[in-house]
Amino acid sequence: ARLSGIRVDDYNLAAGLEKRNILGGQFSLDSFVNPTKSHPRDSVLNPQTRSSVSLGYTQPLLRGAGVSANLAPIVIARINTERSFFQFKDAVQDMVRGVIEAYWNVVLARTSVWVREQQVEQGEFSYERAQARKRGGFGNSAEVAQTKVALTNFKAALIGAQANLLQREAALLNILGLPPTS
């Protein structure tokens, strides 16, 4: 048994280039190549290569209604670029404003802690003075109790101011993108 036949080797190559213009028309350049080779070589036209090149321009009627309609996507892209720039600028300005506000909140909280510390010092002095006056017979228990309550209130306000300071510092570190432990 014997199998025989003709072997044909071929391939197709097609390449094209297109460009749309502002009027909505389209330029095109296309190339097509198809070489064919037969085995065994029994023809005078072996190998054969068919090829073609075409150049064209297509202008659809009333497509886009002129230059301005076809340039609209370019104008829209330019507007979007400007809009994104201003959105970025606004975001940066908001961040700077937030950092400044957070900084001054920390300064205010630190000042508040300092003021509360001064109040505690003066409250301790007043409490000790009231106790000394009572021991010397010039004061009474009511004066001592009143200064002790004031001192306790000052200490509570100091603790609140210190907590507020910790919150303000954490907020500033968060805006700056730093961990709260730094």
Side-chain angles (χ1 to χ4, degrees):
R2 180 170 177 221
L3 296 174
S4 65
I6 299 173
R7 185 178 98 196
V8 177
D9 298 330
D10 70 342
Y11 68 90
N12 294 325
L13 172 66
L17 181 65
E18 295 180 351
K19 172 69 177 156
R20 187 175 304 276
N21 66 9
I22 62 173
L23 296 174
Q26 186 168 342
F27 291 101
S28 64
L29 174 65
D30 296 311
S31 174
F32 179 77
V33 178
N34 181 353
T36 305
K37 190 183 232 183
S38 300
H39 299 283
R41 189 175 179 157
D42 60 350
S43 170
V44 176
L45 299 176
N46 191 14
Q48 298 178 23
T49 302
R50 291 184 289 280
S51 63
S52 65
V53 174
S54 65
L55 177 65
Y57 178 75
T58 305
Q59 176 64 52
L61 292 175
L62 300 177
R63 181 174 206 171
V67 174
S68 60
N70 290 314
L71 291 178
I74 297 170
V75 172
I76 290 170
R78 187 178 303 131
I79 290 170
N80 285 339
T81 301
E82 290 175 8
R83 185 175 60 182
S84 66
F85 167 75
F86 287 110
Q87 286 172 341
F88 173 72
K89 181 179 175 183
D90 185 50
V92 168
Q93 287 175 340
D94 283 344
M95 182 180 163
V96 168
R97 189 174 21 253
V99 168
I100 292 169
E101 182 179 340
Y103 171 79
W104 286 111
N105 284 338
V106 168
V107 169
L108 176 66
R110 286 183 179 170
T111 305
S112 178
V113 167
W114 178 80
V115 167
R116 302 297 180 223
E117 288 171 348
Q118 298 303 313
Q119 282 181 330
V120 168
E121 277 184 36
Q122 290 179 0
E124 287 173 347
F125 178 78
S126 295
Y127 177 64
E128 290 170 5
R129 181 175 179 263
Q131 282 182 333
R133 283 177 50 90
K134 183 181 173 194
R135 282 191 304 266
F138 298 110
N140 57 20
S141 297
E143 184 182 353
V144 173
Q146 185 178 6
T147 56
K148 186 174 184 179
V149 168
L151 175 61
T152 306
N153 287 337
F154 292 153
K155 286 181 179 179
L158 175 61
I159 292 170
Q162 289 170 337
N164 185 36
L165 174 61
L166 291 174
Q167 284 182 330
R168 298 301 177 190
E169 287 176 346
L172 177 60
L173 291 171
N174 186 28
I175 289 174
L176 295 175
L178 299 173
T181 57
S182 65

